[in-house]
């Protein structure tokens, strides 16, 4: 059985290098069997089987961009204190000429903006002018190969589907999981220059899910390849300078690699979509997806196999690192999201596909941070109260963990969850109580959830035929409680043309405050961010 492994990087000063000790010199650690445990019931069997699901084909079709802002129709009330832009990214074009893409990830990136000011909302969208989009548009065919679609040879450089909107040193970027990003104007959505990470630091790629500390610095993870092997690198980009640059150009100066982790199998690197950061630690999760087992710097943390794309939060507590993640039993879903599957007819065909999918459920792992030679074997090291996760030292330098399920059985009725979000600015890397996410009672999310991790109770927003995007929390001015604010989500439907809207929920009660309706079709997307205006 292949487990996943965790690497810890401890902040000993912002730019302190990790210890490059002899743990890296051995390309393989000895094969050992995992402690015996009852066979877990797969998540797809724990959740109810669906019947009579509707087709989602209208949510994965090409749409036109809306480059000039259009007004919305307000239902209810949009709080006047919300002042900024809700930026989102996702696939919006799935064919060029007679050529069709095969996989949802292949669609050309469409940037969306809901601009909110004094209770009013406008909407606009633009296609990202990526190399792929420009080349394909010029030739009116698919000339650039993507994640699931091969194309005829062409000199244009391939770029994967743009997954997220993020920012470095005050600038916004549309980013994927290569070494390239596109700077964008967060107001007009105009595509600016292409930025190559390798021009600033020695990495060949970076994730689309960085983290930010209280001082404004950005941390990310990126890969590098050399004659010495394959490395996972922790990157730090400094905060923006007090005096903003007068030139309208990308600025990643000062970016540094602060830690490099050597892969044992240079030709079989582990796939990772994101990582975890607490106040003093960065946790890199090495998964069994196309990867053999690896060696850790000091202590190796092992657990049963799983796949995680998005982590919820992590924090330190009395000598332990508490880490919460959305976890799947396997990684088959990545390849399953072909456009053919997503466009299946309503009823039996769609039911069959959905019921075959693994469901993501929230889990908590607890890592003891003080394991040494004197730590006893085969004893639960987790001494924190009110936790059921365990961690046992099985041999010198190795700890085996079992997780706590961070939910009750009620969550199973909503098909598990994904796209978790928290009150990031105030609670990332710190003890917290609430997170917000999407429930998956269909192939695409069909509900919004608020989870209380202390009680494992849920609050739910769900209506038939409505499909919400990843929820984003925005704190209210002078908030004194963790959930004092609103949750934003873009709602789409396959049942009626041009019936999309921005939903605003009271984060505390999880009840609707208002919605901003726009007469456009918006395809199902991925991630977004709120850009607060002063």
């Amino acid at each position: 059985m292949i487990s996943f492994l965790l690497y810890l990087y401890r902040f000993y000063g912002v730019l302190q290098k990790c210890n490059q000790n002899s743990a890296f010199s051995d390309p393989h650690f000895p094969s050992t069997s995992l402690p015996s445990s009852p066979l877990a019931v797969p998540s797809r069997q724990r959740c109810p089987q669906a019947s009579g699901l509707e087709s989602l084909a209208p949510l994965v079709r090409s749409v036109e961009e809306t480059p000039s802002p259009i007004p919305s129709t307000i239902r209810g009330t949009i709080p006047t204190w919300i002042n900024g832009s809700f930026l989102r990214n996702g696939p919006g074009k799935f064919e060029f000429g007679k050529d069709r893409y095969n996989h949802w990830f292949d669609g050309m990136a469409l940037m969306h903006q809901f601009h909110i000011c004094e209770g009013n909302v406008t909407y606009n969208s633009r296609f990202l002018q990526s190399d792929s989009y420009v080349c394909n548009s010029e030739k009116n065919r698919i000339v650039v190969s993507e994640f699931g679609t091969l194309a005829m040879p062409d000199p244009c450089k391939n770029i994967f589907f743009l997954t997220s909107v993020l920012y470095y040193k005050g600038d916004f970027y549309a980013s994927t999981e290569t070494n390239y990003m596109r700077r964008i104007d967060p107001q007009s959505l105009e595509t600016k220059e292409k930025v190559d990470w390798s021009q600033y630091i020695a990495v060949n790629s970076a994730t689309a899910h960085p983290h930010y500390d209280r001082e404004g610095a950005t941390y990310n993870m990126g890969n590098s390849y050399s004659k010495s092997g394959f490395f996972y690198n922790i990157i730090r980009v400094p905060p923006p300078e007090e005096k903003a640059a007068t030139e309208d150009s990308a600025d990643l100066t000062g970016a540094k690699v602060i830690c490099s982790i050597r892969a044992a199998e240079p030709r079989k690197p582990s796939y990772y979509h994101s990582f975890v950061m607490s106040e003093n630690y960065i946790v890199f999760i090495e998964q069994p997806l196309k990867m053999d087992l690896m060696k850790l710097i000091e202590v190796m943390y092992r657990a049963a196999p799983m796949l995680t794309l998005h982590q919820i939060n992590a924090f330190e507590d009395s000598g332990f690192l508490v880490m919460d993640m959305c976890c799947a039993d396997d990684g088959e879903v990545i390849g399953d999201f072909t456009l053919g599957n997503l466009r299946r007819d309503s009823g039996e065909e769609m039911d069959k596909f959905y019921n075959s999918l693994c469901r993501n459920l929230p889990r908590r792992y607890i890592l003891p941070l003080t394991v040494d030679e004197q730590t006893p074997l085969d004893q639960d090291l987790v001494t924190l109260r009110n936790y059921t996760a365990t961690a046992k030292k099985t041999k010198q330098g190795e700890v085996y963990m079992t997780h706590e399920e961070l939910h009750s059985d009620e969550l199973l009725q909503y098909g598990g969850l994904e796209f978790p979000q928290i009150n990031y600015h105030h609670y990332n890397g710190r003890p917290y109580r609430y997170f917000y996410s999407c429930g998956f009672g269909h192939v695409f999310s069909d509900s919004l959830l608020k989870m209380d991790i202390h009680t494992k109770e849920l609050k739910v927003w769900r209506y038939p035929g409505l499909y919400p995007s990843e929820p984003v929390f925005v704190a209210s001015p002078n908030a004194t409680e963790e959930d004092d604010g609103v949750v934003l989500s873009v709602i789409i439907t396959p049942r009626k043309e041009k019936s999309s809207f921005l939903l605003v929920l009271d984060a505390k009660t999880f009840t609707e405050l208002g919605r901003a309706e726009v007469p456009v079709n918006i395809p199902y997307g991925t991630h977004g961010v709120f850009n607060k205006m002063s």
Side-chain angles (χ1 to χ4, degrees):
M1 180 181 291
I2 299 178
S3 64
F4 74 86
L5 303 176
L6 303 177
Y7 292 84
L8 293 183
Y9 172 70
R10 177 73 157 92
F11 291 104
Y12 293 109
V14 173
L15 297 180
Q16 177 69 35
K17 290 282 188 176
C18 64
N19 181 20
Q20 299 279 345
N21 62 21
S22 59
F24 284 127
S25 63
D26 183 8
H28 305 277
F29 67 76
S31 176
T32 58
S33 59
L34 299 178
S36 60
S37 61
L39 182 63
V41 177
S43 60
R44 62 173 59 86
Q45 296 180 19
R46 298 177 62 192
C47 295
Q49 296 290 287
S51 177
L53 294 178
E54 65 185 333
S55 175
L56 300 178
L59 307 186
V60 285
R61 66 182 178 186
S62 297
V63 299
E64 299 295 325
E65 63 182 4
T66 308
S68 298
I70 61 173
S72 67
T73 300
I74 304 298
R75 309 291 183 189
T77 302
I78 307 297
T80 56
W81 58 261
I82 305 176
N83 184 21
S85 294
F86 187 28
L87 304 173
R88 285 191 50 77
N89 192 10
K93 186 174 179 59
F94 300 96
E95 65 278 316
F96 287 90
K98 296 181 180 180
D99 293 348
R100 302 289 186 267
Y101 284 119
N102 298 323
H103 200 282
W104 182 52
F105 291 177
D106 297 342
M108 296 293 97
L110 181 62
M111 308 293 301
H112 308 267
Q113 176 183 221
F114 286 87
H115 182 69
I116 311 169
C117 182
E118 297 182 350
N120 296 309
V121 180
T122 60
Y123 169 83
N124 64 308
S125 63
R126 279 190 173 184
F127 282 105
L128 191 81
Q129 300 297 303
S130 64
D131 290 349
S132 296
Y133 183 86
V134 172
C135 291
N136 294 341
S137 297
E138 289 176 350
K139 299 187 178 181
N140 198 31
R141 64 181 177 89
I142 297 174
V143 295
V144 182
S145 296
E146 302 289 348
F147 178 87
T149 307
L150 295 178
M152 296 297 291
D154 190 272
C156 297
K157 194 176 185 68
N158 174 33
I159 184 168
F160 289 129
F161 156 56
L162 277 294
T163 64
S164 191
V165 180
L166 45 89
Y167 55 93
Y168 293 98
K169 300 184 73 172
D171 285 328
F172 282 80
Y173 296 85
S175 178
T176 181
E177 296 174 333
T178 69
N179 56 309
Y180 295 107
M181 302 183 294
R182 287 280 183 171
R183 193 167 68 94
I184 60 171
D185 184 312
Q187 275 74 51
S188 68
L189 302 184
E190 178 187 357
T191 302
K192 300 287 189 175
E193 71 270 36
K194 181 168 70 172
V195 180
D196 185 351
W197 272 109
S198 65
Q199 299 301 309
Y200 295 89
I201 51 176
V203 297
N204 305 108
S205 66
T207 81
H209 290 288
H211 280 286
Y212 308 92
D213 67 17
R214 267 56 182 190
E215 287 71 44
T218 308
Y219 295 83
N220 207 341
M221 297 222 32
N223 300 330
S224 63
Y225 311 84
S226 69
K227 294 181 179 179
S228 302
F230 182 98
F231 291 86
Y232 309 108
N233 303 288
I234 299 174
I235 305 163
R236 180 184 186 270
V237 180
E241 298 178 0
E242 293 184 5
K243 295 182 179 180
T246 56
E247 295 183 2
D248 182 22
S249 60
D251 178 21
L252 295 180
T253 56
K256 293 186 178 181
V257 172
I258 59 175
C259 178
S260 294
I261 303 168
R262 184 195 301 271
E265 292 288 340
R267 297 183 181 180
K268 296 180 180 179
S270 171
Y271 172 75
Y272 59 98
H273 186 70
S274 56
F275 61 100
V276 177
M277 187 173 84
S278 70
E279 288 191 286
N280 293 295
Y281 290 88
I282 284 178
V283 184
F284 170 57
I285 304 163
E286 191 149 35
Q287 305 179 105
L289 184 61
K290 296 185 179 180
M291 188 65 200
D292 289 343
L293 298 180
M294 305 283 286
K295 185 71 176 179
L296 187 63
I297 299 175
E298 294 176 357
V299 178
M300 182 187 305
Y301 298 88
R302 304 179 70 190
M306 63 87 177
L307 172 74
T308 179
L309 295 179
H310 303 111
Q311 291 78 50
I312 304 169
N313 200 6
F315 59 91
E316 298 148 44
D317 186 354
S318 305
F320 295 88
L321 181 65
V322 181
M323 183 172 63
D324 300 338
M325 306 185 292
C326 292
C327 299
D329 298 330
D330 57 58
E332 294 179 3
V333 68
I334 294 176
D336 288 339
F337 269 41
T338 64
L339 290 172
N341 281 334
L342 298 179
R343 292 169 175 166
R344 289 192 182 200
D345 291 337
S346 300
E348 184 178 353
E349 284 301 308
M350 182 59 78
D351 296 345
K352 182 179 179 181
F353 174 55
Y354 171 76
N355 291 330
S356 72
L357 296 175
C358 182
R359 315 297 165 80
N360 285 18
L361 298 171
R363 296 177 182 176
R364 168 165 286 175
Y365 293 87
I366 299 181
L367 288 65
L369 298 173
T370 57
V371 179
D372 56 26
E373 294 182 356
Q374 282 71 46
T375 302
L377 296 174
D378 300 322
Q379 294 184 20
D380 187 5
L381 304 178
V382 180
T383 56
L384 299 175
R385 298 180 60 184
N386 302 320
Y387 293 103
T388 61
T390 68
K392 296 182 179 181
K393 180 180 174 183
T394 54
K395 58 186 294 186
Q396 289 299 332
E398 182 172 305
V399 172
Y400 184 79
M401 303 179 299
T402 63
H403 65 268
E404 172 185 342
E405 292 195 333
L406 208 59
H407 63 90
S408 67
D409 287 347
E410 181 185 9
L411 176 61
L412 304 179
Q413 305 302 313
Y414 298 98
L417 58 81
E418 248 295 352
F419 297 136
Q421 291 284 320
I422 62 171
N423 182 341
Y424 188 93
H425 182 70
H426 293 99
Y427 288 89
N428 183 61
R430 296 176 175 177
Y432 72 112
R433 181 167 183 172
Y434 305 107
F435 73 88
Y436 313 90
S437 62
C438 289
F440 279 79
H442 204 316
V443 175
F444 285 157
S445 53
D446 66 344
S447 63
L448 292 170
L449 308 175
K450 177 186 179 180
M451 176 70 78
D452 183 333
I453 63 171
H454 290 181
T455 65
K456 299 182 181 178
E457 294 177 338
L458 283 176
K459 285 185 170 65
V460 181
W461 184 93
R462 187 186 197 184
Y463 290 92
L466 299 183
Y467 296 84
S469 72
E470 170 191 62
V472 171
F473 176 86
V474 181
S476 61
N478 306 313
T480 58
E481 296 183 304
E482 181 181 345
D483 58 352
D484 188 356
V486 298
V487 169
L488 305 179
S489 178
V490 177
I491 312 300
I492 58 179
T493 178
R495 299 185 180 184
K496 187 178 180 181
E497 285 288 300
K498 298 183 177 181
S499 299
S500 306
F501 62 91
L502 173 67
L503 174 69
V504 182
L505 297 178
D506 182 307
K508 186 176 294 292
T509 63
F510 224 53
T511 56
E512 181 173 339
L513 296 174
R515 60 179 66 180
E517 300 172 345
V518 290
V520 296
N521 291 321
I522 299 178
Y524 191 78
T526 50
H527 298 295
V529 63
F530 183 75
N531 179 26
K532 182 179 179 180
M533 304 293 185
S534 58

